[in-house]
Amino acid sequence: MPSTTTELPLLTRHGEPAPPVRIVHLGLGAFHRSHQAWFTARARDAAEWGIASFTGRRPDAALALAPQEGLFTLIERSADGDRFEVVGSIAEAVDGADVGRLEELLAAPETAVVTLTVTEKVYDDDGPDAPLGRLVRGLAARRAAGAGPIAVVSCDNLAGNGEVARAAVVRIAEDLDAESEEGGLAAWVRENVSFVGTSVDRITPRTTPDDVAEVAERCGYRDASPVVAEPFASWILSGEFPAGRPAWEDAGAQFVADIEPFENRKLWLLNGAHTMLAYSGQLRGHETVADALGDPVCRRAMAEFWDEAARHLTLPELDVPAYRAALLERFANPRIAHYLAQIAQDGSLKLRLRAVPVLQAERAEGRGGLGAARMIAAWIDWVGSGADISDPLVGAIREALGGEGRERTEALIRLVDADLAADAAVVDLIHGLLGFAAH
Ligand code: CS2
């Protein structure tokens, strides 16, 4: 065994060609690689479906993958050990600022699918240099080239992500139409772009230097950018692919007519529990999901929220008891260090998707919504605890934190949802729950 990893060969394709690009992805990050890239690599027709994956704000991920020809190692981490798999579906890793390349690829008739992992907050960002602004410029190039219809597949943790993506893209296209002489782009998008809704799931903690060293030692090559993920992976999709798609079902993807119940199950039970554990857990001195799960206070809060959410997940095929049991096992994976601080980011937005719908559904049926209210209380306590807040509303959160008593609580709730803040009973309920994690 060589004494230093620099003596090891770099992971490369050894002269084998990469699959031809037929998918464009925006948001090259760890989750894209453990999920969509992995599903694509596992399809029987993987040799025909390469991905050109563009980074978001920074080029780093593309710079790391380019020398290894898009290849990376997926470390599948279970309670028993690690498995290593080289994923070859990323044919090109591109700096997101390279809009010329994006336009060129979208103008090619071979390009059939655009997938997105741009994070929840980006769907509100209409800037021309924001990822969706770039996508719309690419779609304009496709229209100009007469390259035909295409599918856009949102893989972000948003309810109705397909529809949210459609609304954002059409809005940006309308703005462009208003500025141009020709117009007609928004109408072209409506007729030619199929927006596919999906529910995506695979826990993907951040890669650490130890993971990089482990790959070198166990695989015998250098990979500057491996990805760690749990063995579980799920992708549920609903919508049309007018120009074709890989056989993702080979890797377990499910195609359904109505995505909403599946989205809700995942957003509320998995992501909702994560958010609850992230705030209550950090307030109680824990660092990871598995640590927080071992604390009865956090675990009780999570179970209370699950019971509440489950009342609104009634379709038999959702099999909520089995889903909950599987989640407990996934969260407890002792070898995955999934940091609560990572999940705690962008809380104002995540609560809107994870706590608010359950709270509203409970109140609509005449119940209090205690579990969902407790999640919001945990967030308020956490932002007020001197924590390092990373959130698009950080300025407004800091301002609201300057207030006092019930008014301060109300101001913070307003940042999550104005209707809830206007409901005195909800504000009282949440205000009364503050500090629960301290006991
Ligand atoms: C997490 C998700 O960071 C978060 O908000 O809840 O990233 C979660 O790990 C994934 O959705 C799992 O599929």
Side-chain angles (χ1 to χ4, degrees), residues 194-280:
S194 166
F195 290 88
V196 176
T198 70
S199 176
V200 291
D201 193 4
R202 189 167 210 183
I203 291 171
T204 308
R206 250 181 221 138
T207 305
T208 67
D210 284 350
D211 300 321
V212 175
E214 190 199 5
V215 169
E217 192 180 308
R218 301 271 305 272
C219 303
Y221 55 73
R222 260 182 309 133
D223 179 346
S225 192
V227 172
V228 180
E230 62 174 340
F232 178 93
S234 151
W235 199 2
I236 307 178
L237 305 96
S238 181
E240 301 301 316
F241 289 85
R245 61 163 173 85
W248 286 321
E249 60 274 20
D250 294 346
Q254 281 171 267
F255 293 83
V256 300
D258 182 11
I259 189 90
E260 199 187 332
F262 296 95
E263 266 173 353
N264 290 343
R265 177 180 67 176
K266 196 267 170 169
L267 277 172
W268 299 346
L269 298 182
L270 187 148
N271 298 113
H274 262 173
T275 296
M276 183 74 93
L277 296 174
Y279 300 123
S280 63

Side-chain angles (χ1 to χ4, degrees), residues 2-277:
S3 56
T4 64
T5 56
T6 48
E7 292 168 32
L8 292 173
L10 188 64
L11 175 61
T12 62
R13 294 186 187 267
H14 299 291
E16 291 292 320
V21 172
R22 298 203 58 205
I23 301 176
V24 165
H25 180 77
L26 303 188
L28 171 53
F31 179 70
H32 162 62
R33 295 195 282 142
S34 76
H35 195 273
Q36 304 94 53
W38 180 84
F39 273 88
T40 304
R42 284 281 179 114
R44 82 192 80 123
D45 48 4
E48 293 157 39
W49 290 91
I51 306 173
S53 193
F54 289 76
T55 59
R57 303 248 175 226
R58 287 192 312 266
D60 311 25
L63 295 175
L65 283 188
Q68 44 198 68
E69 299 174 299
L71 294 181
F72 64 92
T73 311
L74 181 96
I75 308 176
E76 196 179 281
R77 184 156 288 167
S78 71
D80 310 326
D82 288 348
R83 268 194 52 238
F84 304 88
E85 179 176 344
V86 174
V87 176
S89 55
I90 298 187
E92 265 181 54
V94 195
D95 177 352
D98 189 351
V99 182
R101 183 64 183 142
L102 178 66
E103 290 177 346
E104 191 176 15
L105 286 169
L106 286 182
E110 298 78 35
T111 302
V113 178
V114 180
T115 51
L116 305 173
T117 54
V118 293
T119 77
E120 294 91 329
K121 55 182 173 280
V122 165
Y123 291 84
D124 294 328
D125 187 345
D126 290 359
D129 271 327
L132 295 185
R134 291 173 177 166
L135 170 62
V136 174
R137 280 149 72 188
L139 291 172
R142 186 174 188 87
R143 175 188 178 216
I150 192 165
V152 170
V153 185
S154 167
C155 303
D156 284 294
N157 287 318
L158 287 165
N161 53 14
E163 287 312 310
V164 173
R166 179 199 309 277
V169 166
V170 167
R171 197 171 59 231
I172 298 169
E174 281 168 349
D175 288 349
L176 282 186
D177 282 339
E179 286 164 20
S180 78
E181 277 176 20
E182 190 197 5
L185 180 60
W188 183 88
V189 167
R190 283 196 195 92
E191 269 170 42
N192 291 280
V193 183
S194 166
F195 290 88
V196 176
T198 70
S199 176
V200 291
D201 193 4
R202 189 167 210 183
I203 291 171
T204 308
R206 250 181 221 138
T207 305
T208 67
D210 284 350
D211 300 321
V212 175
E214 190 199 5
V215 169
E217 192 180 308
R218 301 271 305 272
C219 303
Y221 55 73
R222 260 182 309 133
D223 179 346
S225 192
V227 172
V228 180
E230 62 174 340
F232 178 93
S234 151
W235 199 2
I236 307 178
L237 305 96
S238 181
E240 301 301 316
F241 289 85
R245 61 163 173 85
W248 286 321
E249 60 274 20
D250 294 346
Q254 281 171 267
F255 293 83
V256 300
D258 182 11
I259 189 90
E260 199 187 332
F262 296 95
E263 266 173 353
N264 290 343
R265 177 180 67 176
K266 196 267 170 169
L267 277 172
W268 299 346
L269 298 182
L270 187 148
N271 298 113
H274 262 173
T275 296
M276 183 74 93
L277 296 174

Side-chain angles (χ1 to χ4, degrees), residues 304-389:
E304 174 189 48
F305 177 71
W306 275 357
D307 289 344
E308 228 169 73
R311 293 196 194 112
H312 310 281
L313 297 168
T314 50
L315 215 61
E317 58 262 45
L318 295 180
D319 198 353
V320 170
Y323 192 86
R324 283 173 62 154
L327 277 185
L328 283 176
E329 203 170 304
R330 293 171 62 196
F331 286 175
N333 185 330
R335 302 186 59 257
I336 293 235
H338 195 189
Y339 285 97
L340 299 171
Q342 182 182 342
I343 299 167
Q345 292 177 2
D346 300 338
S348 63
L349 272 175
K350 289 178 180 172
L351 287 169
R352 259 176 236 168
L353 296 153
R354 303 175 182 191
V356 173
V358 174
L359 187 44
Q360 282 166 340
E362 282 291 273
R363 296 188 78 80
E365 292 184 4
R367 284 184 297 270
L370 189 61
R374 194 184 298 281
M375 198 192 301
I376 300 174
W379 173 72
I380 293 177
D381 280 335
W382 180 81
V383 292
S385 70
D388 184 11
I389 304 170

